[in-house]
Amino acid sequence: MFLLLFLTLVSRIPFLFSGYGAEEDAWALPLVAERIAHTGHYEMSRLPGHPVQELTYAMMAGWGPLAFNLCTLLISTVGVLFFALVLHHAGSASWWLGGVMLAFTPLYYINSTNAMDYTWSIAFMTGTLYFVLRRNMILAGILLALATGCRITSLALLLPMLILIPYLFKPGERTKPA
């Protein structure tokens, strides 16, 4: 697991210095982060708003693109960890290979080195699945809320999770507190 996370982190280092990213939306984030930091009032970088990312970046206002990209890289790496843990929990003997495949899928790879929110929501959604499988509904709910705060479309994961949950418990079994 450590090797998987190390490879994910180290493989992206050269790309962390390339600015906020190629998408114009990525350049709106530092501008809004600065305004939020200076005024104390929430402002959207783009509709419908991405408050988790925008407020996180507001706390990092003025730190520059390297800090924003590093933050995305760290969260993306946590997403790879959750994905590997889901596979391991499901009994896959090649859980590590699944983690490598996600980490080095071109779309995930590229978006783990810029200021955009795609991998943020994927990491939180994968964490949601992991904690649902572990029957920790409180952490699953928190992570789904964070995913939704990154991209509102993440809320669509709620229905499959609600369908999955009854299959994880024996009839009459109650959830245990976290």
Side-chain angles (χ1 to χ4, degrees):
M1 190 68 73
F2 176 75
L3 182 59
L4 170 62
L5 300 178
F6 179 76
L7 286 174
T8 302
L9 288 167
V10 170
S11 67
R12 276 113 167 125
I13 289 173
F15 304 102
L16 295 177
F17 304 92
S18 300
Y20 294 108
E23 291 190 41
E24 60 193 43
D25 290 342
W27 290 85
L29 286 164
L31 297 174
V32 166
E34 287 285 335
R35 285 197 294 264
I36 293 170
H38 286 103
T39 66
H41 297 287
Y42 174 70
E43 193 175 319
M44 291 183 283
S45 60
R46 59 209 188 279
L47 290 174
H50 303 79
V52 169
Q53 188 184 37
E54 292 156 345
L55 294 172
T56 299
Y57 284 161
M59 291 186 283
M60 301 167 49
W63 291 10
L66 177 61
F68 285 28
N69 295 344
L70 186 59
C71 185
T72 298
L73 172 57
L74 294 174
I75 291 171
S76 301
T77 303
V78 170
V80 170
L81 171 67
F82 278 135
F83 186 71
L85 288 171
V86 165
L87 294 175
H88 187 266
H89 182 81
S92 172
S94 299
W95 58 266
W96 58 272
L97 185 56
V100 168
M101 291 172 67
L102 174 62
F104 291 92
T105 298
L107 191 60
Y108 197 85
Y109 188 99
I110 291 167
N111 284 297
S112 67
T113 62
N114 63 37
M116 290 302 292
D117 56 18
Y118 307 119
T119 57
W120 288 50
S121 60
I122 290 170
F124 292 134
M125 286 190 296
T126 310
T128 299
L129 176 58
Y130 175 71
F131 284 111
V132 164
L133 292 173
R134 300 282 306 185
R135 302 183 334 175
N136 188 331
M137 302 311 154
I138 293 171
L139 282 178
I142 291 169
L143 288 172
L144 183 57
L146 289 170
T148 304
C150 290
R151 294 192 72 78
I152 198 163
T153 53
S154 300
L155 191 55
L157 186 63
L158 182 60
L159 181 60
M161 292 301 110
L162 290 174
I163 293 170
L164 175 63
I165 289 169
Y167 292 98
L168 299 174
F169 296 95
K170 296 175 187 156
E173 187 179 35
R174 300 181 70 177
T175 59
K176 300 173 185 168

